[in-house]
Amino acid sequence: MGALRKEDVAGLITFLEQNKDRDGDVTLNDVIDLAEMMTGSMHEFLGAVQPTITAELTAIAGEISRLKTEILQLRPNDMKDNQIPEAGRELDAIVEATESATETIMESAEKIMAADDDMDPAEYRAFVNDKMIEMFEACAFQDITGQRISKVVSALNAIDRRVTGFVERLRITEGDDAPAEETDEDRRKRDLILHGPQHAGEGVSQSDVDDMMSQGSQDEIDKLFG
């Protein structure tokens, strides 16, 4: 990087010494002379700095362009407008089908349990067969549900592949992740261990619950449901 030349510094000192006793009586010509002198003294400095600044700005522009390309390859609009909404619709349909099937099965079972004991055996057998067929037909929702779940898993895998590729191309390491901000609801779930249904081998077993309920005081138990 360039530095001020000795002759430029000497010129500035001379100018300031000549005008230090003028009690602020500075003319426009004095200002112009000083500006010309400063411009001349900085010319070499700016000439040395300019290539560095230009290279830095070029590098920044290139990085921005690369990030834009990476984001376009991520296809965020497709995820936002198609894949994520479609996965949401499939999950809604799964919930509706499960609710409908459960209701049908429970109603059929209740009708069988409430059947008249004095009903003719043949008539009772036919009645039970009809209700059992209704229950079997309701269980057929599992096939469609499995297909819907496969669509959701496929969409999530596609999103995962894109995001993973995006992270790898940006060279983001695991340690670079910003700490997740815990909400009040997340904190409550953590404190009360409200994690919902767990997979096999995870979570708290029934024996653990029994031990906790038998050893804990009523106040401690009440806190779990506070």
Side-chain angles (χ1 to χ4, degrees):
M1 181 176 292
L4 295 179
R5 296 175 298 181
K6 291 182 178 180
E7 55 268 29
D8 295 327
V9 175
L12 287 173
I13 293 174
T14 301
F15 179 87
L16 294 174
E17 287 179 344
Q18 292 174 349
N19 294 275
K20 65 180 180 179
D21 296 328
R22 297 177 59 179
D23 296 328
D25 184 16
V26 180
T27 66
L28 178 59
N29 288 333
D30 295 331
V31 175
I32 294 175
D33 291 341
L34 179 60
E36 290 178 347
M37 194 172 301
M38 290 294 296
T39 301
S41 65
M42 294 295 291
H43 185 271
E44 183 179 350
F45 172 77
L46 293 176
V49 170
Q50 182 178 356
T52 302
I53 295 177
T54 301
E56 291 292 338
L57 293 177
T58 301
I60 292 173
E63 188 66 16
I64 292 174
S65 178
R66 186 178 72 85
L67 287 176
K68 182 178 179 181
T69 301
E70 298 292 349
I71 291 173
L72 290 177
Q73 291 180 355
L74 189 62
R75 297 170 63 191
N77 289 332
D78 178 55
M79 289 193 294
K80 177 175 69 70
D81 298 332
N82 297 319
Q83 291 191 315
I84 294 178
E86 181 62 25
R89 286 191 292 269
E90 294 292 349
L91 291 175
D92 289 339
I94 291 171
V95 173
E96 292 175 1
T98 304
E99 290 178 349
S100 177
T102 302
E103 184 178 351
T104 299
I105 293 172
M106 293 183 66
E107 288 180 353
S108 298
E110 289 175 354
K111 289 179 180 178
I112 292 175
M113 295 175 64
D116 190 353
D117 295 338
D118 297 332
M119 185 181 299
D120 179 75
E123 183 181 353
Y124 177 77
R125 186 163 48 252
F127 172 77
V128 171
N129 286 338
D130 288 341
K131 296 305 173 186
M132 291 299 296
I133 290 174
E134 290 181 2
M135 295 170 68
F136 289 143
E137 289 175 346
C139 290
F141 83 97
Q142 296 182 40
D143 181 45
I144 298 178
T145 295
Q147 298 177 29
R148 294 187 184 279
I149 291 176
S150 296
K151 290 182 180 180
V152 174
V153 172
S154 177
L156 293 178
N157 286 336
I159 293 173
D160 177 68
R161 286 193 300 270
R162 293 183 192 176
V163 174
T164 299
F166 180 71
V167 170
E168 290 176 350
R169 288 191 292 271
L170 292 183
R171 299 182 291 276
I172 298 174
T173 64
E174 186 174 344
D176 294 333
D177 288 346
E181 184 175 349
E182 187 179 40
T183 64
D184 293 339
E185 182 65 19
D186 293 335
R187 190 177 301 107
R188 178 177 181 273
K189 290 180 179 180
R190 174 173 55 79
D191 293 340
L192 300 181
I193 323 179
L194 303 178
H195 304 305
Q198 300 294 298
H199 296 288
E202 297 181 358
V204 181
S205 66
Q206 184 61 47
S207 60
D208 293 334
V209 175
D210 294 339
D211 292 341
M212 180 179 63
M213 300 294 281
S214 62
Q215 296 176 8
S217 64
Q218 186 61 45
D219 290 340
E220 292 175 338
I221 296 175
D222 291 339
K223 287 180 181 179
L224 296 175
F225 302 95

